[in-house]
Amino acid sequence: MSKVLVVTSGKGGVGKTTSTAAIGAALAQTGQTVVVVDFDVGLRNLDLVMGAERRVVYDLINVVNGDAKLAQALIRDKRVEGLSLLAASQTRDKDALTLEGVTRVIEQLREKFDWVVCDSPAGIEKGALLAMYHADLAVVVTNPEVSSVRDSDRIIGMLDSKTAKAERGEKMEKVLLLTRYDQARAARGEMLKVEDVLEILSIPLLGIVPESEEVLRASNLGSPIVISNPLSAPARAYQDAVKRLQGETVTMHIPVERKSIFAKFLSWRVA
Amino acid sequence: MNMSLFGFFRARNTAPVARERLQVLLAHERAMIGGSDLAAILREEILAVIAKHVAIDQEKVQVKLDRGGSVSTLEIDIEMPALVGAK
């Protein structure tokens, strides 16, 4: 049974694309077939974060319009078996995506893959609505910061009212992925704590991804963090999150960076 | 930047403020999206009632709203023409 997952947040820059790439790659690393789909028409970036920007020939809109077959538009990842990408178009025409078209493509993807991971654009416009419409499960990416929490609350409201599941009267499953978390700052009262965000948004926690330099390194390299540095703290957080998505019970903890004395010495020298 | 020792310690514990502001704001926004922004409805209706009796100059109406956790205040300040009271 294939599962459609939307990675959404309302606010931009909180880590939707990074998380989509990491979750997609981590799922594929467990041996399942996965496609990550970029819904950010006009501002595609998942291709770049996945390191496939030079291999995009056809995109989601080409498939929707029938200019390309789905198989032609899917880009297979060269590092992880079973992982594919469907890029967004760079057209400026925001109406290029239609509900009928998206419905058709998602149906086809469901037949081919165990997991369809949709990377939502920021905002609450058509693109974000189409990305979430067919989801079975929503991963709400939130930073421990007031504007991000507010926008997530808004998105949760839309997930409960504007999706196919909601229209059928079913309950939309939503989980929280807290990113850029700094445990030390939260402990000092400088940052919202995990419990604060959970209490305010009242959805279950999927994982806590700590703030880390490794995330930028991964995007610089065009490699999902679970591939570029699988032992890093954020990668371990994504691996745990994926186990939870697959139904495993994994104790919740915030992974910490294991720095060697040599690395500490280096960073001290550079600073 | 407050350089006093007290200010230095106080300035760092901002998370509880963030938490409280969010709780109040979201309580209101959730109600609003449900279609019942009480403060906005009251503002419109009160102004409509007053406009029935007095010609209101929109420039001279001040509406202040303070959404609080348990109590919200709606303050409507209308400057009325002098002859209204002398009727």
Side-chain angles (χ1 to χ4, degrees):
Chain A
M1 219 353 229
S2 86
K3 208 154 194 188
V4 178
L5 196 150
V6 63
V7 180
T8 186
S9 70
K11 191 177 185 307
V14 297
K16 280 183 298 298
T17 302
T18 303
S19 297
T20 302
I23 289 171
L27 280 168
Q29 283 171 331
T30 69
Q32 297 197 279
T33 54
V34 183
V35 61
V36 287
V37 187
D38 193 347
F39 273 81
D40 204 345
V41 172
L43 289 172
R44 76 171 179 219
N45 273 319
L46 186 57
D47 55 337
L48 199 53
V49 171
M50 295 287 295
E53 70 277 10
R54 295 196 296 179
R55 298 168 60 206
V56 178
V57 183
Y58 295 111
D59 56 52
L60 178 59
I61 291 185
N62 292 137
V63 180
V64 164
N65 292 344
D67 303 332
K69 287 250 164 36
L70 179 61
Q72 293 176 299
L74 289 171
I75 303 166
R76 277 165 184 267
D77 191 274
K78 288 181 171 169
R79 301 152 297 203
V80 182
E81 175 89 29
L83 178 61
S84 296
L85 162 74
L86 182 52
S89 155
Q90 277 182 312
T91 171
R92 278 190 285 170
D93 179 11
K94 283 193 170 172
D95 292 322
L97 275 187
T98 59
L99 180 58
E100 304 77 62
V102 169
T103 305
R104 212 168 49 237
V105 174
I106 294 284
E107 278 317 307
Q108 284 177 275
L109 292 172
R110 270 187 197 274
E111 285 168 24
K112 274 180 182 270
F113 296 94
D114 298 322
W115 292 88
V116 180
V117 185
C118 304
D119 184 19
S120 172
I124 51 172
E125 313 289 314
K126 192 179 173 188
L129 288 171
L130 285 173
M132 71 169 68
Y133 190 78
H134 290 286
D136 302 311
L137 169 75
V139 174
V140 179
V141 183
T142 307
N143 291 169
E145 184 271 323
V146 287
S147 56
S148 173
V149 176
R150 179 198 211 171
D151 291 358
S152 292
D153 190 72
R154 197 65 200 281
I155 280 292
I156 289 168
M158 298 180 75
L159 287 164
D160 285 333
S161 60
K162 313 247 185 223
T163 52
K165 269 201 151 184
E167 285 172 5
R168 291 196 298 263
E170 294 169 32
K171 191 157 167 44
M172 182 76 184
E173 201 186 334
K174 303 164 294 284
V175 287
L176 179 76
L177 186 67
L178 196 60
T179 55
R180 307 201 68 168
Y181 192 69
D182 186 330
Q183 196 172 18
R185 295 197 72 187
R188 289 199 297 267
E190 298 172 16
M191 182 182 266
L192 287 167
K193 289 190 169 70
V194 181
E195 305 84 70
D196 294 335
V197 182
L198 282 175
E199 191 197 330
I200 292 167
L201 295 178
S202 52
I203 58 173
L205 184 60
L206 176 69
I208 306 159
V209 183
E211 171 82 73
S212 164
E213 294 169 7
E214 289 301 315
V215 174
L216 179 61
R217 261 198 87 235
S219 91
N220 286 345
L221 296 172
S223 172
I225 191 150
V226 293
I227 300 175
S228 67
N229 192 349
L231 296 177
S232 64
R236 283 181 285 136
Y238 283 116
Q239 289 152 3
D240 281 355
V242 155
K243 284 182 194 155
R244 292 183 194 110
L245 284 177
Q246 291 170 323
E248 270 183 61
T249 310
V250 185
T251 322
M252 190 66 68
H253 71 288
I254 307 159
V256 287
E257 216 76 73
R258 293 176 195 139
K259 266 195 181 176
S260 67
I261 289 172
F262 179 67
K264 277 183 189 160
F265 176 70
L266 262 184
S267 63
W268 174 72
R269 283 291 297 269
V270 171
Chain B
M1 171 77 84
N2 190 342
M3 292 307 285
S4 78
L5 198 61
F6 179 66
F8 174 77
F9 281 114
R10 202 181 53 169
R12 297 186 82 83
N13 284 333
T14 50
V17 182
R19 179 194 147 100
E20 202 185 313
R21 288 177 59 218
L22 272 170
Q23 278 171 330
V24 171
L25 172 72
L26 293 182
H28 286 285
E29 283 190 345
R30 284 167 190 162
M32 214 154 59
I33 287 155
S36 61
D37 183 8
L38 186 60
I41 295 167
L42 286 175
R43 185 192 65 208
E44 292 306 312
E45 293 195 359
I46 291 171
L47 286 177
V49 167
I50 294 168
K52 263 203 274 182
H53 302 280
V54 190
I56 304 176
D57 181 353
Q58 283 298 330
E59 302 268 299
K60 295 189 173 156
V61 177
Q62 280 188 34
V63 183
K64 281 188 200 160
L65 177 62
D66 187 3
R67 299 180 198 273
S70 48
V71 181
S72 296
T73 58
L74 176 64
E75 207 179 302
I76 302 183
D77 194 335
I78 305 169
E79 197 175 303
M80 295 214 245
L83 51 126
V84 175
K87 186 182 153 188

